[in-house]
Amino acid sequence: MESSKAGDAYMKTSYPKEGNWSTGLYDCLDDRSNCVKTFFCPCITMGQIIEIIDRGTTPSQIGCGIYTALHMVHCTWLYTSNYRSKLRALFNLQEAPCADFVVHCCCCVCGICQEYRELKNRGVDPSIGWEGNVEKWKSEGITVPPLFPANITR
């Protein structure tokens, strides 16, 4: 438990540099549990990512359902690449190693894993949803969620 607190303190002060992905596209095994979950049920992980990127306006269950419906007609990449683009815009990340739609068309599971790791490495836990993160940030005394640049306020 103590190491978890130390990790939280680290996350508050040492976010990855803006413009750089904190992990590579093929670093899926950096978070093995997420890798396995995403390999077998990518809709769950993507739903969690969608809820965070949409700031809670799209519940993870809805994102998961849309992903599943599009999966049946082999068009998930149309939906998921849009969220990769939104994530890149939030953190000013490079479109690397190739275009967002190519990542999600050819390496969808790796792309989803990378996006999940990116959120976690920047202080957001997609597994607890938007509201859970807002509560976590409030309890930690963070007034501007780490998901947004410091110069953006409401």
Side-chain angles (χ1 to χ4, degrees):
M1 197 66 159
E2 191 62 39
S3 65
S4 175
K5 289 180 182 177
D8 289 344
Y10 171 80
M11 291 303 295
K12 287 184 191 176
T13 59
S14 301
Y15 295 116
K17 287 179 131 179
E18 191 173 296
N20 296 322
W21 289 92
S22 60
T23 62
L25 180 62
Y26 303 111
D27 293 337
C28 298
L29 294 177
D30 285 359
D31 183 346
R32 290 171 195 233
S33 63
N34 182 57
C35 178
V36 171
K37 175 182 72 173
T38 304
F39 181 79
F40 288 105
C41 299
C43 61
I44 293 172
T45 307
M46 196 63 216
Q48 293 170 339
I49 293 168
I50 289 167
E51 181 174 351
I52 298 300
I53 293 175
D54 283 349
R55 300 175 184 105
T57 60
T58 306
S60 63
Q61 299 87 344
I62 299 296
C64 180
I66 293 170
Y67 181 97
T68 302
L70 289 171
H71 181 72
M72 293 183 184
V73 292
H74 306 288
C75 291
T76 56
W77 62 273
L78 291 169
Y79 186 56
T80 58
S81 62
N82 183 45
Y83 281 94
R84 185 175 180 86
S85 298
K86 288 180 180 184
L87 179 68
R88 282 190 319 93
L90 281 173
F91 299 119
N92 193 28
L93 298 170
Q94 303 167 356
E95 189 172 29
C98 49
D100 296 334
F101 76 93
V102 174
V103 168
H104 276 272
C105 188
C106 300
C107 308
C108 188
V109 171
C110 293
I112 293 170
C113 285
Q114 182 186 35
E115 293 151 22
Y116 187 93
R117 287 190 313 274
E118 194 65 35
L119 288 170
K120 285 194 76 159
N121 291 342
R122 293 183 184 271
V124 183
D125 183 356
S127 69
I128 63 173
W130 177 254
E131 290 299 323
N133 277 286
V134 169
E135 290 302 316
K136 180 182 91 166
W137 296 323
K138 284 180 185 176
S139 72
E140 294 172 352
I142 298 173
T143 55
V144 177
L147 184 59
F148 305 104
N151 61 350
I152 295 178
T153 59
R154 287 189 179 207

